[in-house]
Amino acid sequence: SSKDSDWVQKRLRIPLEEKYHLKCCIHFRDFDPGGVFLESMADSVHKSFKIIAVYSKNFLESPFSMHELELAEYRQVSKQDNCLVIIRIDETDFNKLPEGLQRRSVIDYFKTVERPFWMSRLLQFLRVPEDSDNQDAVTEQERNTNNRRDSRTGRRKKHTFVRLSSTSSNESAVSFV
């Protein structure tokens, strides 16, 4: 929800982009002005490597957020990839999630006992090494990944992000729902 944009900016976008060097897609910043909003939303869900749903009271009140969650759930089921993570940021009841997502693991930022571990759980889901908080660590990871050679052609394989084998998207973006 746009009403949670301060939380998304401070807790997610800044660390993920600036500290961990991930490209994030956020509607108010990255959707084309004048474009069809629902098409941009669907496009970002289908092209992103992972989708983060920031679950809150504001989320439930937003028809766009719920539609985007449905798109993410459909992608997850149809492509059988583990693309969706849900982060709860307030006391909103999990029973208000769509039935297919109620049994899913959730990062519960709202619970104070879980809060110290929420970012490490998110980084694990995103497959980002926690020690990659400086450019050298990311560069070393990229260097190691990029130096692999294709056994058939002998050419170097060019990868910028290590992917889960079940993910079929070609983008490295993280999309926020």
Side-chain angles (χ1 to χ4, degrees), residues 15-32:
L16 292 179
E17 287 187 341
E18 294 179 10
K19 187 174 182 181
Y20 298 104
H21 311 288
L22 295 174
K23 179 184 174 193
C24 298
C25 176
I26 303 173
H27 74 277
F28 58 83
R29 182 190 72 181
D30 298 312
F31 285 7
D32 291 330

Side-chain angles (χ1 to χ4, degrees), residues 18-173:
E18 294 179 10
K19 187 174 182 181
Y20 298 104
H21 311 288
L22 295 174
K23 179 184 174 193
C24 298
C25 176
I26 303 173
H27 74 277
F28 58 83
R29 182 190 72 181
D30 298 312
F31 285 7
D32 291 330
V36 178
F37 190 77
L38 292 176
E39 287 178 16
S40 296
M41 190 184 307
D43 193 46
S44 73
V45 166
H46 292 291
K47 286 184 176 179
S48 293
F49 174 56
K50 297 288 184 178
I51 299 125
I52 300 171
V54 178
Y55 186 64
S56 68
K57 176 181 160 256
N58 296 325
F59 179 93
L60 290 176
E61 292 172 354
S62 168
F64 291 115
S65 296
M66 290 304 290
H67 178 68
E68 214 164 3
L69 183 64
E70 289 167 0
L71 290 170
E73 183 180 20
Y74 175 77
R75 172 189 157 174
Q76 184 170 285
V77 170
S78 67
K79 292 187 177 187
Q80 297 180 352
D81 67 352
N82 189 22
C83 66
L84 175 64
V85 64
I86 300 169
I87 302 174
R88 181 173 80 153
I89 64 170
D90 66 14
E91 71 282 352
T92 303
D93 188 354
F94 290 121
N95 291 329
K96 294 184 179 179
L97 280 168
E99 188 176 330
L101 297 175
Q102 289 179 9
R103 295 174 302 281
R104 190 170 176 77
S105 291
V106 173
I107 296 174
D108 198 350
Y109 180 86
F110 176 69
K111 285 193 174 178
T112 55
V113 294
E114 290 190 36
R115 192 169 296 162
F117 311 105
W118 81 275
M119 181 56 86
S120 62
R121 289 184 65 205
L122 177 61
L123 294 174
Q124 182 180 16
F125 172 78
L126 297 174
R127 296 289 182 113
V128 176
E130 287 188 69
D131 62 350
S132 68
D133 61 348
N134 63 50
Q135 188 61 40
D136 294 334
V138 174
T139 303
E140 183 63 31
Q141 177 188 0
E142 289 174 353
R143 195 176 307 122
N144 291 340
T145 303
N146 289 341
N147 282 334
R148 294 188 185 138
R149 293 191 179 270
D150 186 316
S151 59
R152 293 173 286 147
T153 64
R155 293 183 179 170
R156 286 186 183 196
K157 292 182 179 181
K158 203 64 165 150
H159 300 286
T160 57
F161 198 88
V162 179
R163 298 191 176 285
L164 298 172
S165 59
S166 63
T167 302
S168 60
S169 171
N170 291 327
E171 297 287 325
S172 291

